Amino acid sequence: MRNRTHILLIYTGGTIGMTRHVKTKTLRPFDFGSLLENIPELKLLDCSIETFSFDPPIDSSNMDPDHWYKMGLLIASNYDKFDGFVILHGSDTMSYTASALSFMLENLTKPVILTGSQLPIGDLRTDAKENMITAIQLAALREEDRALIQEVGLYFEYKLYRGNRTTKINAEHFQAFASLNYPPLAESGVHLKVFEENLWKRNARFRFKAHNSLSDKVGLLKIFPGMRPDYVRHFLNNPALEGLVIETFGAGNAPTADWLLEILEAKIKEGLKIVNATQCSGGSVSMGQYETSQRLKDVGLLSAKDMTTESAITKMMYLLTKNLGDKEFKITYETSLCGEIS
Ligand code: ASP
């Protein structure tokens, strides 16, 4: 008989472990020990749990690539010791972290599941306990002698999603996340139902590899009706910029004004990588479907297809460090690396 499943629970911060300041009522992180004391149920789980806490824990609005390296390194250096990893994280940037980790942790053979909550664990109506306990149970699931889930997931309000497909859609509802372009990996009801057909099937020929460099020379530009040429030129003329994601309308459409296409074309010729991503949470970029996207294709924008903005940005951060030639960059960017594109 095999030993009990061993899970590493990583606390980075977020509402789940926050406490309300008595006078100001603002929420701020408190220590992990107190958080664990609030969940005696953890001892009832059929797996052993070790914990690691960020010191100090942070509100996820302060998350940045250095924190992602720290998580990646923690997972990589404990990879053989544990069967699965659960990351407690603020919901605000959880989809960014999940997306970044999905690229940084290549060929995972074990689950990395992020979760958090809308209410602190100490609140009477908290969603934290269910989210945390079920995330641990999902991370502990095994089939024969291997982990059932072998990818970065995000569990929130009864659903496990592929992390790099998620977006935070609600600042108030317990159902805070959506994955509009990919179905859930699992659902929690009376039973835990895993939809095995939706799980990422890794290529068994390749071994797990952790990457630890991301570029911060990326920008995000959301277009809107009435956008001024001088603002756009100023933004794009920043010499530090190496990769840009443009959030366009609908299926990848943008104004056909010459000034916009001229600056995009000039910057692409200078070597800037520019990606067309849709502002919509669901659906895909399809350049050439409308006249308003044909010229974007002609001047050389890459397509984010049906990637979320969170994936489009973090994939850009990841690929910019790989020294790929233009053609290889385009092919790799537009190909699904870990299930981020349909
Ligand atoms: N501001 C908090 C955070 O992202 C919100 C949350 O935890 O859900 O850290």
Side-chain angles (χ1 to χ4, degrees):
M1 219 179 92
R2 67 182 306 280
N3 294 332
R4 286 176 95 201
T5 311
H6 208 33
I7 302 294
L8 181 60
L9 182 63
I10 302 167
Y11 174 54
T12 66
T15 299
I16 193 164
M18 286 187 184
T19 182
R20 264 176 232 283
H21 189 275
V22 189
K23 279 199 191 121
T24 63
K25 301 283 181 234
T26 50
L27 285 167
R28 49 181 186 186
F30 71 127
D31 74 285
F32 193 47
S34 326
L35 184 144
L36 292 177
E37 276 164 27
N38 275 284
I39 329 174
E41 292 91 337
L42 284 182
K43 298 199 182 74
L44 303 175
L45 288 167
D46 188 24
C47 56
S48 58
I49 300 170
E50 273 185 49
T51 57
F52 177 90
S53 175
F54 270 30
D55 184 18
I58 58 167
D59 185 300
S60 79
S61 301
N62 286 319
M63 202 50 77
D64 64 25
D66 282 342
H67 295 112
W68 297 336
Y69 302 146
K70 194 167 159 180
M71 287 179 226
L73 192 67
L74 195 62
I75 290 168
S77 57
N78 284 286
Y79 199 70
D80 294 333
K81 191 172 161 201
F82 292 93
D83 300 298
F85 303 85
V86 173
I87 301 178
L88 304 178
H89 194 291
S91 61
D92 288 347
T93 61
M94 197 187 293
S95 295
Y96 287 92
T97 299
S99 304
L101 289 178
S102 76
F103 299 118
M104 293 165 71
L105 302 172
E106 192 182 347
N107 291 313
L108 274 173
T109 53
K110 303 183 179 189
V112 174
I113 299 181
L114 288 98
T115 193
S117 66
Q118 291 283 54
L119 286 175
I121 198 118
D123 276 23
L124 206 52
R125 294 176 51 253
T126 189
D127 52 334
K129 284 190 188 181
E130 200 286 321
N131 284 348
M132 180 163 157
I133 288 168
T134 307
I136 295 171
Q137 286 184 322
L138 286 163
L141 289 177
R142 298 190 68 81
E143 191 179 63
E144 291 165 11
D145 208 23
R146 66 177 189 97
L148 184 58
I149 297 157
Q150 306 191 346
E151 59 181 300
V152 178
L154 186 155
Y155 181 78
F156 224 88
E157 189 64 1
Y158 304 115
K159 287 201 174 88
L160 176 72
Y161 302 106
R162 174 163 299 152
N164 59 28
R165 291 299 193 129
T166 60
T167 301
K168 184 171 178 181
I169 46 141
N170 203 299
E172 196 175 329
H173 292 172
F174 285 137
Q175 188 164 351
F177 290 89
S179 165
L180 290 174
N181 285 336
Y182 198 75
L185 307 180
E187 248 173 46
S188 163
V190 173
H191 303 287
L192 275 186
K193 235 194 267 168
V194 178
F195 306 113
E196 292 199 34
E197 66 282 13
N198 298 340
L199 296 177
W200 176 247
K201 315 269 178 310
R202 58 181 286 275
N203 186 333
R205 278 187 303 139
F206 301 115
R207 289 174 63 86
F208 167 68
K209 183 174 176 200
H211 298 257
N212 63 356
S213 58
L214 296 170
S215 169
D216 61 358
K217 295 180 174 166
V218 299
L220 173 63
L221 177 70
K222 180 169 186 159
I223 65 161
F224 58 92
M227 193 169 60
R228 282 175 57 136
D230 51 338
Y231 288 3
V232 176
R233 284 196 197 102
H234 183 75
F235 187 50
L236 266 68
N237 278 327
N238 183 333
L241 199 59
E242 289 182 2
L244 175 72
V245 175
I246 300 197
E247 270 199 0
T248 54
F249 306 127
N253 308 314
T256 48
D258 285 339
W259 68 263
L260 180 60
L261 291 146
E262 277 160 16
I263 175 104
L264 294 176
E265 186 168 22
K267 286 289 145 190
I268 289 171
K269 283 199 174 127
E270 283 172 26
L272 181 66
K273 308 276 188 288
I274 307 185
V275 171
N276 184 351
T278 174
Q279 293 179 10
C280 300
S281 340
S284 180
V285 165
S286 168
M287 283 191 281
Q289 183 180 341
Y290 290 88
E291 204 180 20
T292 43
S293 64
Q294 182 60 49
R295 279 182 70 197
L296 298 176
K297 189 176 181 179
D298 295 343
V299 300
L301 266 74
L302 310 184
S303 176
K305 301 188 179 176
D306 67 344
M307 262 189 271
T308 58
T309 297
E310 293 86 337
S311 275
I313 286 274
T314 53
K315 190 172 186 178
M316 178 67 87
M317 289 175 158
Y318 170 69
L319 287 183
L320 280 177
T321 64
K322 301 289 171 218
N323 293 323
L324 305 174
D326 285 349
K327 206 164 159 205
E328 208 185 340
F329 189 97
K330 176 176 164 64
I331 293 172
T332 316
Y333 193 92
E334 294 182 345
T335 303
S336 172
L337 302 181
C338 44
E340 75 280 12
I341 298 177
S342 296

